[in-house]
Amino acid sequence: MMVDSFNPRIKHINMTQIPVYKPYLSKRTLNYAKDALDSSWVSSHGKYLIKAEDKLKEISESKFVLLTNNGTSATHLVAHALKMKYPDIDTILVPSNVYVAAWNMFRTIPYYDFYPLDADLNTWNMDLNKVPNLNIPFYQGNIALLVVPNLGNPIDLSEFKKKYPYVPIVIDNCEGFLGSKINSLASSVSFFGNKTLTSGEGGAFFTDDEDVYKEMDRIRCQGLTKEKFIFDGIGYNYRMTNIQAALLYGQLEDKDEILEKKEEIFNTYKENLKSYNIHFQTVQDGLKHSNWMFGIRFDLPKEDVKRISDNLLKNGIETRPMFPPMYYHSHFKEYDYFPISQQLYEQVLILPSYPELTKEQVIFISNLIKKEL
């Protein structure tokens, strides 16, 4: 199974021998999915939903977890959680170069305005050094921070929290993994087919706030009350199926094996490309990259980067660019030019990094890149 991680709406029917990503589905994972099918519990009830939620709570150390039908739905719940807990907030600090779903889900709350921050050239994440002075009265009580770790690269929030302890933080971690716990009101994770752990489609919402958990569970289930077919407000059908949960539970049991394979792939790329004029995504001290997808930045004009990408494709190797700045999208055109986000979009290539990629294939890809340079 090949997953087009850049544009899932387009059927990928070329002769790519090495795609950017494809899922790692062990025999154990497939057996759990078959067991879910055989049980006839194929919808939003079944034992694997409980098993997967419990496993996620254990790994993430979060008090409450809600499984969802995809990561975007989980992020939408994060947006609702922020509005529930801090109803007076109307502006959110956001990164300027992430997947559009992060912005879209907060725009569905129509009274949220955005204050975008340009990226950092080293981490490829939002640059918190560009945060305005939030201690002035204008920002008191009306601004929050949305964190999105690009490619799964976490962000050090310690200084921000010290400087602005009153600013709520929410996290769209759909490109990352659970990793070390970050204190935030709520966060989301995706289990889409190109993610480190997958349930095909799927996601999860995390919080330590019991009131938030109960309300988001209500919203996730169409506003359902304890009385059958009686609802008490607007809600959505964001529930995960038992089949998805069975796949996810298998992936969670295979977690250590998958992460070990991914780390070896990332290390092999770095070892083979370190002597060339190529920049890797910098990880801040004390943090650990989730190793979702491996990217490199060239000090080259965008035409040369495209040439490299085209020649890799001719050799059967798929790549994808970094996410474009938000003004590339017609509904966010009002936001200003972000030079670092633009530079990353033009200079970064994301390389194949799925768990079953062999060391020989990584070396082959690296050698082709070095030849191009």
Side-chain angles (χ1 to χ4, degrees), residues 20-32:
V20 165
Y21 216 87
K22 59 182 179 180
Y24 179 78
L25 300 173
S26 68
K27 185 177 180 180
R28 170 167 47 189
T29 295
L30 296 175
N31 283 340
Y32 286 152

Side-chain angles (χ1 to χ4, degrees), residues 35-309:
D35 181 52
L37 284 168
D38 291 342
S39 74
S40 79
W41 291 99
V42 298
S43 191
S44 56
H45 296 280
K47 67 180 181 181
Y48 287 107
L49 290 159
I50 299 170
K51 284 177 172 287
E53 276 195 3
D54 287 345
K55 194 74 172 175
L56 283 171
K57 282 191 281 190
E58 174 192 331
I59 294 171
S60 68
E61 300 179 5
S62 292
K63 291 182 181 179
F64 305 104
V65 175
L66 292 171
L67 295 176
T68 61
N69 57 342
N70 57 57
T72 301
S73 300
T75 301
H76 195 201
L77 293 180
V78 171
H80 277 283
L82 180 65
K83 183 52 64 176
M84 170 199 166
K85 203 70 177 179
Y86 299 94
D88 294 333
I89 284 176
D90 57 18
T91 303
I92 306 178
L93 296 164
V94 298
S96 60
N97 65 327
V98 296
Y99 186 57
V100 71
W103 302 312
N104 282 348
M105 290 304 95
F106 282 83
R107 259 302 155 82
T108 60
I109 310 293
Y111 21 81
Y112 276 143
D113 194 11
F114 292 155
Y115 190 116
L117 301 175
D118 201 0
D120 177 87
L121 190 60
N122 298 312
T123 66
W124 310 355
N125 284 323
M126 64 195 308
D127 188 349
L128 293 179
N129 291 318
K130 295 182 171 68
V131 174
N133 180 10
L134 303 182
N135 287 322
I136 62 175
F138 177 78
Y139 290 115
Q140 297 285 331
N142 78 334
I143 197 163
L145 173 68
L146 170 62
V147 175
V148 184
N150 266 329
L151 305 185
N153 190 19
I155 302 174
D156 184 357
L157 298 171
S158 56
E159 289 303 314
F160 181 90
K161 288 180 178 180
K162 287 179 185 177
K163 196 171 183 179
Y164 307 114
Y166 55 85
V167 176
I169 297 173
V170 289
I171 303 173
D172 175 340
N173 197 24
C174 286
E175 294 177 41
F177 185 62
L178 306 175
S180 58
K181 186 176 178 182
I182 302 174
N183 291 325
S184 64
L185 172 64
S187 63
S188 58
V189 165
S190 171
F191 302 118
F192 181 60
N194 66 5
K195 297 302 189 290
T196 302
L197 304 183
T198 182
S199 55
E201 280 280 7
F205 169 90
F206 301 83
T207 186
D208 284 344
D209 188 306
E210 186 172 4
D211 291 335
V212 166
Y213 163 74
K214 289 179 178 178
E215 176 63 6
M216 294 311 110
D217 190 25
R218 185 195 69 80
I219 291 175
R220 179 188 64 153
C221 299
Q222 299 177 325
L224 184 66
T225 65
K226 292 181 180 180
E227 188 174 353
K228 195 170 183 64
F229 300 136
I230 302 298
F231 303 84
D232 62 357
I234 294 296
Y236 310 94
N237 187 3
Y238 282 170
R239 296 169 294 181
M240 179 181 279
T241 69
N242 193 45
I243 297 174
Q244 289 174 302
L247 287 169
L248 176 59
Y249 184 65
Q251 294 274 284
L252 290 168
E253 289 203 331
D254 290 335
K255 171 181 68 74
D256 292 342
E257 179 184 357
I258 292 172
L259 294 178
E260 184 178 329
K261 289 177 180 292
K262 298 275 287 183
E263 185 164 10
E264 183 177 356
I265 290 165
F266 273 55
N267 289 340
T268 303
Y269 271 127
K270 290 177 181 177
E271 181 64 29
N272 281 272
L273 294 172
K274 66 181 180 181
S275 300
Y276 286 72
N277 192 21
I278 291 173
H279 303 277
F280 305 129
Q281 193 176 20
T282 300
V283 181
Q284 293 177 286
D285 290 342
L287 301 179
K288 182 173 175 56
H289 201 292
S290 74
N291 292 346
W292 172 45
M293 284 195 178
F294 186 82
I296 54 178
R297 183 174 69 82
F298 302 91
D299 275 328
L300 295 171
K302 61 181 180 180
E303 294 80 9
D304 289 338
V305 177
K306 185 179 186 307
R307 171 182 55 79
I308 293 172
S309 176

